[in-house]
């Protein structure tokens, strides 16, 4: 195996571990942000009417 191959395997395994560890917190934060933006947009639309 070349050094590049070993490095690519290492990067892939670290990405998999990071995804498994941080998937839920990141998804919760994204959902919260999305919900806040939808709420703000809805309020702006109501104010315009």
């Amino acid at each position: 195996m070349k050094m590049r191959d070993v490095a690519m395997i290492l990067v892939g395994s670290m990405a998999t571990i990071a995804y498994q560890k941080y998937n839920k917190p990141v998804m919760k934060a994204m959902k919260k942000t999305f919900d806040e933006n939808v709420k703000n947009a809805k309020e702006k639309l109501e104010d315009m009417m």
Side-chain angles (χ1 to χ4, degrees), residues 18-35:
Y19 173 78
Q20 290 174 349
K21 184 173 182 179
Y22 296 111
N23 183 28
K24 288 184 182 179
V26 169
M27 291 302 281
K28 285 181 183 178
M30 287 176 60
K31 183 177 177 353
K32 183 179 176 184
T33 302
F34 180 75
D35 289 343

Side-chain angles (χ1 to χ4, degrees), residues 34-46:
F34 180 75
D35 289 343
E36 289 174 358
N37 288 337
V38 168
K39 181 181 175 187
N40 289 340
K42 194 175 189 180
E43 288 175 359
K44 286 181 183 178
L45 284 173
E46 289 177 357

